[in-house]
Amino acid sequence: MEGNNIEIVDVNEDIYEKVLAFLGEVKTLNIEEEIVKNASVIMDLDEVVGAISYEKFGYYGLIRYFIFKKYVDDDIIENLFLHLEKKASKDEIRYLFSIVMDKDVMDLFDNLSFIKSEIILIDLYIDSSEPLLYACIKLYKLIYYIYKKPIQIV
């Protein structure tokens, strides 16, 4: 893929509808507006060719909508993730994590310096009240990935 026309940007009102259309190509995806607003996007000229976002749970960010065209180069994918990391730090996210089942996706997260684990310990709250998830959880065929270092909050 030629890198001359590639740009990685935050979702904004100018490209919001294009991002929704791109994500809508995945028929099984439940698109949530708040999560789309957290996205970083790969633009090739005027076309969306990749996106990654996160859902915020306190200081944790669950990777969501990590979707890109197959022809997008690995270095561009890495830059997309680094862009999201900076964005997440501004949102006071300290840890990014993902839940993965697919071998190719596992390889991708390995390459992005995530740590693989079959168990995860997280304390997530909704509206700062009761824990949504609090325990060591082990689920069949699910691998949790946690980004290997705390993110510096800017």
Side-chain angles (χ1 to χ4, degrees), residues 97 99 117-124 132-140 142-144:
F97 70 100
I99 301 169
S117 176
E118 291 184 0
I119 57 173
I120 188 171
L121 179 60
I122 288 188
D123 191 359
L124 299 178
L132 172 66
L133 173 64
Y134 180 71
C136 285
I137 300 171
K138 189 170 185 176
L139 297 174
Y140 178 68
L142 289 183
I143 304 295
Y144 294 86

Side-chain angles (χ1 to χ4, degrees), residues 54-63 81 85 88-89 92-98 114 120-122 124 145-153:
Y54 63 87
E55 185 172 1
K56 185 174 181 177
F57 296 96
Y59 288 111
Y60 296 93
L62 171 62
I63 300 290
F81 176 75
E85 180 185 5
S89 76
E92 298 185 350
I93 298 291
R94 294 207 20 103
Y95 301 96
L96 290 170
F97 70 100
S98 186
F114 277 68
I120 188 171
L121 179 60
I122 288 188
L124 299 178
Y145 279 79
I146 302 175
Y147 195 49
K148 72 176 182 180
K149 61 180 181 184
I151 297 171
Q152 296 296 323
I153 296 175

Side-chain angles (χ1 to χ4, degrees), residues 13 26 48 55 129:
E13 62 184 42
V26 181
V48 177
E55 185 172 1
S129 57

Side-chain angles (χ1 to χ4, degrees), residues 101-141:
M101 291 176 58
D102 182 90
K103 170 73 169 103
D104 291 335
V105 178
M106 289 178 189
D107 292 342
L108 173 65
F109 278 97
D110 285 339
N111 292 337
L112 290 173
S113 300
F114 277 68
I115 298 170
K116 184 179 353 181
S117 176
E118 291 184 0
I119 57 173
I120 188 171
L121 179 60
I122 288 188
D123 191 359
L124 299 178
Y125 289 85
I126 295 179
D127 299 328
S128 300
S129 57
E130 296 299 313
L132 172 66
L133 173 64
Y134 180 71
C136 285
I137 300 171
K138 189 170 185 176
L139 297 174
Y140 178 68
K141 289 192 176 179

Side-chain angles (χ1 to χ4, degrees), residues 70-85:
K70 288 187 183 238
Y71 60 82
V72 176
D73 293 337
D74 290 347
D75 61 328
I76 295 171
I77 300 300
E78 183 176 343
N79 286 332
L80 175 66
F81 176 75
L82 293 173
H83 188 272
L84 183 79
E85 180 185 5

